[in-house]
Amino acid sequence: RFAFSRPVILRGITDNSAFRALCTRKKLLAAFGTLPVRLSTANTYSYRKVDVPFQEYVEQLLKPQDPARLGSDTLYFFGDNNFTEWGPLFQQYVPPAFRIPGTSPAYSFGIAGSGSGVPFHWHGPGFSEVIFGRKRWFLYPPDKTPHFHPNETTLAWLHNTYPTLPPAERPLECTLRPGEVLYFPDRWWHATLNLDTSVFISTFLG
């Protein structure tokens, strides 16, 4: 019903309490604090990558988003994980049991401050689960390109563009809370906004 047509929120389909217990600030810093992590800029179409120690990211960069800051100047930890070093953590994650024939899952793990997020973009289908915090999503179907500037953060878009949209041009939207999973189909446009300091993981079906 949903796999190729519409996003859907799934509740109560996994128990990730063990994974959540390993994702506290204290546990993550103890396990990975000295390891480098690769950060991406929070803009669309072009990305700059920066490597920093995980502890430096948590203690210096994990803070609320400045609404005036451009996406190209905003560093975001999501997706570029070293699966050799982070593998033991990901082995504790229980992904949604649903699959699309002909695809295989790949994990992307992220931690981000309040007000951060990624602006509109699209890719293949997948699931996204919130472990800590709340994450707001904005979604458009593939045939409806959203109004946005590729170097504008989601927070700036929400302040500047969203209020001007007629009701018929507004996106589908939802707010995910811990333990909730969003499924998004192939090529659906989406932007995200972390309402709190958040920990989250996506399962991309490539």
Side-chain angles (χ1 to χ4, degrees), residues 1-8 10 96-106 123-127 182-188 203-206:
R1 182 179 171 190
F2 294 99
F4 305 105
S5 60
R6 280 181 75 82
V8 61
L10 305 167
F98 302 105
R99 292 287 178 267
I100 295 177
T103 67
S104 57
H123 43 65
F127 302 96
L182 174 69
Y183 168 75
F184 49 88
D186 187 29
R187 296 175 184 267
W188 271 67
T203 306
F204 292 112
L205 303 176

Side-chain angles (χ1 to χ4, degrees), residues 51-159:
D51 292 339
V52 301
F54 179 63
Q55 185 166 348
E56 180 180 328
Y57 174 70
V58 171
E59 295 180 350
Q60 299 182 25
L61 300 174
L62 192 60
K63 54 189 177 183
Q65 172 75 39
D66 178 353
R69 198 171 180 88
L70 294 175
S72 57
D73 296 325
T74 303
L75 294 173
Y76 195 73
F77 174 45
F78 176 59
D80 285 301
N81 309 123
N82 183 316
F83 283 86
T84 300
E85 295 170 329
W86 290 75
L89 175 65
F90 300 148
Q91 287 172 10
Q92 300 301 312
Y93 178 64
V94 180
F98 302 105
R99 292 287 178 267
I100 295 177
T103 67
S104 57
Y107 296 148
S108 288
F109 179 68
I111 304 170
S114 63
S116 65
V118 290
F120 282 104
H121 64 288
W122 59 265
H123 43 65
F127 302 96
S128 183
E129 180 171 354
V130 171
I131 306 302
F132 287 112
R134 296 168 300 153
K135 181 185 283 285
R136 189 173 174 183
W137 283 71
F138 306 92
L139 303 109
Y140 285 98
D143 60 353
K144 194 169 183 179
T145 303
H147 299 284
F148 74 103
H149 188 285
N151 202 24
E152 184 180 52
T153 65
T154 304
L155 186 61
W157 174 87
L158 184 64
H159 288 168

